[in-house]
Amino acid sequence: MTDAIGAILFIGVIAYAVFGGADFGAGFWDLTAGGAERGSAPRSLIDRSIGPVWEANHTWLIYCLVVLWTGFPPAFAAITTTLYIPLGLAALGIVLRGSGFAFRKVTLRTAQQRLTGVIFAVSSVLTPFCFGGIAGAVASGRVPSAGGGAPLSSWLSPTGVLGGVLAVVVCAYLAAVFLSSAATHPYPDEALHLYFRRRALAAGIAVGIVCLAGVFILHVDAPRLFHQLSTRGLALLIVSAAAGLAALATLRARRARLPRSLASLAVATVIAGWGVAQYPYLLGTHLPLTQAAAPDSTLWVLVAVACTAAVLIAPSLAALYVLHERDRLTSSA
């Protein structure tokens, strides 16, 4: 039962990394698009692509928090009492990001549009960096089981910074692939397709460089994680690298769905590799799932709630994405 709840939790982590990651990465490209005139076309595509769905993606974050505090209360307490700074910054970033994105559309003055745009874009980089730092702190075992760990050095460690930087570049890669595909369908825009395809390639190279540097960092700073990733999680990492390269290759074919599916698979498998490498511990090197789990009666209720959510929420999100795609087709016709 504890393994089942752990799997349910990690499904939410993967879903948020894929769907939320694409949104955060879009903010990165918004930040680097340039001035108002030069960046108007990329920003317009970003607004059209993420506008109807950006809030829905945070459903997965709420899902993960609920499963964690209900299914594994000691782990939730340990994480929140140690990593409250990056958690608070991430929450602030989500709020400011949403506010900036919403107000940029309704403000009329250029100065106000620039201010709200900067808030949206900077928050889109800050938030995934904090989430990556949290993941690095947990994976490297810097969160004590009793909580109350070092509030700064726990996530600003070498592995934490690696996780933050990797989260930012992975989000940028994922968003560039999605946006490059969006520029080809339903109404092809060759200039925007080439614009984001080049950025997808640059982000893919950046991901490779960060991962290469991460090999040496993990070997020194998180030896257990390094060993488990190079043995138990190696197959998933290989699949991730192959899918990521395939996504970049298929962008040339101008097929909207295949590159997005491959890029999503690349992100999902690397997150899954982290989960496999960390198992059976919740806090990287300590606190096994069995010790942190809630009573069986609670776990059974949580399973029932998760199944209900799968039946109700998953189709609703799927319908939202289908309607969003249909709206794009209609508006471009």
Side-chain angles (χ1 to χ4, degrees), residues 16 24 58 61 86-87 89-97 119-134 164 167-168 171:
Y16 189 56
F24 289 129
H58 295 306
L61 176 60
L87 285 168
L89 289 174
L92 179 63
I94 290 172
V95 173
L96 291 178
R97 180 178 184 270
I119 292 173
F120 162 70
V122 172
S123 300
S124 297
V125 175
L126 172 67
T127 305
F129 179 84
C130 290
F131 280 134
I134 291 168
V168 172
C171 288

Side-chain angles (χ1 to χ4, degrees), residues 10-25 128 163 166-178 200 203-204 207 211 229 233 236-248 258-276:
F10 234 78
I11 288 172
V13 173
I14 292 172
Y16 189 56
V18 173
F19 295 107
D23 276 0
F24 289 129
L166 186 60
V168 172
V169 295
V170 166
C171 288
Y173 158 79
L174 190 60
V177 172
F178 274 51
V207 171
C211 288
L229 284 173
L236 288 168
L237 298 186
I238 292 174
V239 171
S240 176
L245 293 173
L248 296 175
L258 185 58
R260 288 183 295 187
S261 300
L262 289 169
S264 299
L265 177 63
V267 176
T269 47
V270 75
I271 299 294
W274 164 39
V276 169

Side-chain angles (χ1 to χ4, degrees), residues 315-330:
S316 300
L317 290 175
L320 176 63
Y321 293 126
V322 170
L323 292 173
H324 173 41
E325 190 70 13
R326 186 177 299 173
D327 181 66
R328 292 181 63 234
L329 285 168
T330 303

